Amino acid sequence: MTKLIIIAWLLFCSHAYATNIFQLNSKSKNTDLTAIQPNHPQWNASSVYVAGDVVTYNNSLFIAAFWVKGIEPIENQPHWDGWIWVQNTVIEKWQANKVYQGGSLVKHGTDYFLARYWNENNEPAPHSSWQKIKDLFYLTPELPPEHPDDYKTLDGVDQNDNGIRDDYERYVYEKFDSPQLITFSLGAASTLQLVIDIEQGRIPNLDTEISKQIILDMINISYCVRYLQNSHPHFREPEVLYFNTIERAYANRKSQNKISDYIAWDDDFHRGADRDCKILKEDIK
């Protein structure tokens, strides 16, 4: 118990003093980060950040997607490294009839959502084309209890409504003790769920561009796993953990076949995957 209290105190003391988007006026339409605070604190490698914390690094603004420490913010679209790159200073209120690209951050009601892929007229909600931004790492998380329907369907059960299937979330917390492994594994869940969404026919506008982005994200996850396994040899690939029933594994195969129909094999395209996951390897101690 004493050890737990000490750890919690260290985490509290190392938490950076940063603007947090979840503590702002929930009634405002748009969120202008520079109007709230012209100079956000610089990212610090030794500080702990939680979902919603805003920092600046290399003249860009970043928002923590999850609990994150020691991972350098980089200007890329994938957010499983724990950071969302804010490409302008205003987080706009979600609008119908507006096209959003994958990685777009919007405000809807009192919540913030990240676009998982290109979409239009798709109102933000968990398990849709949007990922709800919440703090997904806790020192002693209250994990959703087992449910009799956890493995009966492709979607399983999401009792805490955070966009991540409960059985997968429980496995990640129970099996991994590294914050980097937890952050990465939970962050990858939204991409892996896209495969289930395709099988369920939830992406009616599936086309070449969306398919390319999904394939690149899957390649990125594989690259990240290889880097993480250098320091954690027994780390299992999230794809294996996510498609953990025969039905889910079969859905994965069918969905990836469907995606491949949109993309002719192109060596330049497949070599163009973002390999910035090396930052995970460099920062793991």
Side-chain angles (χ1 to χ4, degrees):
M1 183 65 181
T2 302
K3 181 179 180 181
L4 185 62
I5 293 174
I6 292 173
I7 293 174
W9 175 250
L10 289 174
L11 290 178
F12 175 80
C13 290
S14 62
H15 178 49
Y17 182 74
T19 298
N20 190 290
I21 59 175
F22 297 112
Q23 298 171 350
L24 304 177
N25 184 358
S26 61
K27 296 181 180 180
S28 61
K29 293 184 178 180
N30 298 331
T31 302
D32 188 338
L33 297 174
T34 55
I36 296 164
Q37 184 171 321
N39 298 307
H40 291 276
Q42 284 283 331
W43 170 76
N44 188 307
S46 62
S47 295
V48 169
Y49 300 93
V50 297
D53 280 349
V54 183
V55 300
T56 183
Y57 188 64
N58 288 338
N59 297 316
S60 288
L61 286 178
F62 296 87
I63 296 176
F66 318 111
W67 184 101
V68 59
K69 177 184 178 183
I71 299 178
E72 180 182 356
I74 51 179
E75 297 178 352
N76 64 350
Q77 290 300 326
H79 63 283
W80 49 72
D81 57 3
W83 294 103
I84 301 168
W85 175 32
V86 184
Q87 298 183 51
N88 58 61
T89 64
V90 178
I91 305 174
E92 297 182 347
K93 180 182 178 181
W94 176 80
Q95 303 173 50
N97 302 314
K98 181 174 180 178
V99 172
Y100 292 96
Q101 303 296 327
S104 297
L105 185 66
V106 300
K107 182 178 182 181
H108 184 54
T110 60
D111 292 313
Y112 293 87
F113 291 83
L114 190 73
R116 298 164 64 205
Y117 52 84
W118 184 102
N119 73 84
E120 182 180 11
N121 286 327
N122 194 339
E123 186 173 358
H127 286 309
S128 68
S129 55
W130 297 92
Q131 173 69 35
K132 193 174 185 178
I133 303 302
K134 297 183 69 174
D135 190 359
L136 297 175
F137 181 91
Y138 302 90
L139 187 63
T140 54
E142 295 183 5
L143 297 175
E146 293 186 8
H147 190 282
D149 295 333
D150 276 336
Y151 301 97
K152 289 184 178 179
T153 64
L154 295 180
D155 285 327
V157 179
D158 180 17
Q159 297 176 80
N160 57 8
D161 196 34
N162 65 356
I164 298 179
R165 209 176 62 224
D166 290 349
D167 66 277
Y168 177 80
E169 186 175 5
R170 283 196 304 271
Y171 187 96
V172 168
Y173 277 117
E174 291 169 357
K175 298 298 182 181
F176 304 143
D177 57 5
S178 161
Q180 284 87 352
L181 296 185
I182 294 173
T183 296
F184 169 71
S185 298
L186 295 179
S190 62
T191 295
L192 298 174
Q193 179 62 30
L194 286 176
V195 175
I196 300 296
D197 291 344
I198 291 171
E199 174 61 17
Q200 301 278 59
R202 297 191 185 118
I203 309 181
N205 57 329
L206 184 67
D207 59 11
T208 299
E209 290 306 310
I210 295 176
S211 298
K212 282 185 176 181
Q213 188 57 57
I214 294 173
I215 291 293
L216 284 175
D217 285 350
M218 297 292 280
I219 293 173
N220 275 319
I221 289 174
S222 294
Y223 281 141
C224 288
V225 168
R226 293 176 191 174
Y227 281 117
L228 289 166
Q229 286 176 337
N230 287 328
S231 299
H232 301 273
H234 301 296
F235 177 51
R236 297 188 66 191
E237 187 163 353
E239 185 175 354
V240 175
L241 306 178
Y242 203 81
F243 305 114
N244 57 359
T245 67
I246 294 176
E247 292 76 16
R248 289 167 182 167
Y250 186 44
N252 179 31
R253 174 63 63 88
K254 290 196 294 183
S255 295
Q256 296 213 36
N257 286 342
K258 186 180 296 186
I259 292 172
S260 66
D261 291 340
Y262 287 92
I263 307 173
W265 184 265
D266 182 336
D267 288 340
D268 290 335
F269 162 70
H270 286 83
R271 281 197 292 265
D274 184 349
R275 303 191 184 196
D276 287 320
C277 287
K278 63 178 179 292
I279 199 67
L280 291 169
K281 174 187 173 186
E282 293 168 354
D283 285 310
I284 291 177
K285 304 300 183 185

